[in-house]
Amino acid sequence: MAAKGAKAQAIGPSRGGQTTKIHALTDVLGRPGVLVLTPGNASDVTTAPAVLAEAPGRIRRLAADKGYDADWLRADLRKNGITPVIPGKRSRKRKIRHDRPRYREQWRIETTFNRLKDFHRIATHYDKLARNYASTLALAAIIAFWC
């Protein structure tokens, strides 16, 4: 039996109301290789293993924002041979050093989202069902990055 409800449709409360969050894994050129939908209230760091499991190839470095700052995630990344380029949260007792020049390349991910949101249907989230929204998102990514 299929799961029903808001959680199955990747809809959850956020600051702006009921929303869906898009998690992306991009290559060095900013082209999305993995796009995962979660409810708007889903934590970035808890979603990271599911997103990384979908990776199409080998990952050498993971540049992410402070939302992905967790000791267990860093340890898991290092165990898998991935260098984390994640700045520490301000509230950390022990400061985290990260590769600033490599972290500056993280703008590519933001550019990826901006480019996807150029498609009105992605930005406004017209689709009610998660599978329809994910399909629209995949089509927009193909058109924006590979056509």
Side-chain angles (χ1 to χ4, degrees), residues 40-55:
N41 58 344
S43 168
D44 290 340
V45 71
T46 56
T47 308
V51 175
L52 291 170
E54 299 279 328

Side-chain angles (χ1 to χ4, degrees), residues 9 33 38 51 97 136:
Q9 297 307 327
T38 60
V51 175
R97 291 179 54 210
T136 306

Side-chain angles (χ1 to χ4, degrees), residues 7-79:
K7 195 168 191 172
Q9 297 307 327
I11 298 173
S14 181
R15 289 183 191 174
Q18 297 290 332
T19 62
T20 298
K21 192 183 283 188
I22 304 167
H23 300 271
L25 190 61
T26 66
D27 62 6
V28 294
L29 299 175
R31 297 177 300 192
V34 176
L35 294 167
V36 176
L37 296 177
T38 60
N41 58 344
S43 168
D44 290 340
V45 71
T46 56
T47 308
V51 175
L52 291 170
E54 299 279 328
R58 184 172 174 266
I59 302 171
R60 284 190 232 140
R61 282 182 299 279
L62 178 72
D65 61 9
K66 292 179 183 183
Y68 291 90
D69 178 31
D71 291 332
W72 65 266
L73 179 61
R74 289 174 191 279
D76 192 40
L77 290 171
R78 286 191 181 102
K79 184 180 79 175

